[in-house]
Amino acid sequence: MPAARSARIPGQREDAEETTAAGTTVDHLTETYRAHYRSLLGLAALLLDDTASCEDVVQEAFIRVHSARKRVRDPEKTLAYLRQTVVNLSRSALRRRILGLKLLSKPMPDMASAEEGAYDQLERDSLIRAMKGLQRRQREVLVLRYFADMTEAQVAETLGISLGSVKAYGSRGIAALRTAMGASA
């Protein structure tokens, strides 16, 4: 071991080793905890809204400083490092909350009762039967116009027929559907 101490890096100050040792001791962290826990908790309380989260953030800050204690060379900077860690952890907690609220803010669609679902299914079945009873062109025009949400001009272009024919087939098809659906109801 003495050989390792004699192998110093040129230009390294001898008192730097003593300062590092003082800043990284568990005793120093314990003293800092006792002296500043409440003030760090107050800092977290200003950034967060519930006590449990504040306590978690401060505890996590001390854990992180403890695990990184070899990097904290100056014992006077331990408290500043802890404060910055509390602020960063509070920001992270708020980001997670905001993200959670965004994800939860989308309301769930109202679930239909079993009776409503069965009634909707019956209506769909009767509509499909009525659609199958239409002439081919009427069915094509109605499907493209109302289910594919195309304009009359787009339907005419898609089917290769005139705009007037689209209007005529659509009008006759809707009239036939009303008759068929009215008879089945």
Side-chain angles (χ1 to χ4, degrees):
M1 294 292 173
R5 285 189 177 187
S6 62
R8 288 195 121 68
I9 299 172
Q12 180 183 13
R13 294 186 356 228
E14 193 159 320
D15 62 326
E17 186 176 303
E18 293 169 13
T19 304
T20 302
T24 59
T25 63
V26 175
D27 291 338
H28 178 71
L29 286 174
T30 305
E31 292 293 321
T32 305
Y33 181 86
R34 287 184 185 134
H36 299 285
Y37 176 78
R38 290 216 182 269
S39 67
L40 290 170
L41 195 61
L43 174 65
L46 292 172
L47 300 170
L48 299 170
D49 55 354
D50 73 291
T51 307
S53 295
C54 297
E55 291 172 349
D56 290 344
V57 162
V58 173
Q59 290 296 326
E60 181 66 25
F62 273 100
I63 290 168
R64 289 188 182 190
V65 169
H66 180 269
S67 62
R69 65 185 184 274
K70 292 186 176 31
R71 289 182 282 163
V72 181
R73 297 176 186 248
D74 188 2
E76 300 300 319
K77 292 184 180 178
T78 303
L79 183 58
Y81 189 79
L82 278 166
R83 284 185 183 134
Q84 188 61 50
T85 305
V86 166
V87 169
N88 290 341
L89 290 172
S90 297
R91 285 180 187 155
S92 294
L94 287 173
R95 263 188 243 116
R96 282 191 302 276
R97 279 189 197 167
I98 289 169
L99 180 62
L101 289 174
K102 283 181 183 177
L103 294 175
L104 290 177
S105 66
K106 297 177 185 169
M108 295 297 290
D110 292 334
M111 296 298 291
S113 67
E115 293 83 15
E116 289 176 25
Y119 183 73
D120 290 344
Q121 184 65 40
L122 288 173
E123 281 188 342
R124 269 192 302 274
D125 290 344
S126 63
L127 176 64
I128 290 170
R129 275 193 305 278
M131 289 288 289
K132 287 181 179 178
L134 295 176
Q135 294 177 4
R136 181 179 57 88
R137 281 286 187 199
Q138 290 174 346
R139 186 173 50 248
E140 289 172 350
V141 168
L142 291 179
V143 166
L144 291 175
R145 180 76 175 103
Y146 297 105
F147 292 101
D149 202 27
M150 291 182 166
T151 64
E152 290 174 336
Q154 290 171 328
V155 172
E157 185 180 330
T158 302
L159 295 177
I161 58 177
S162 69
L163 188 59
S165 296
V166 169
K167 291 179 181 183
Y169 284 126
S171 175
R172 290 182 195 129
I174 289 176
L177 277 179
R178 281 192 185 128
T179 305
M181 296 293 288
S184 67

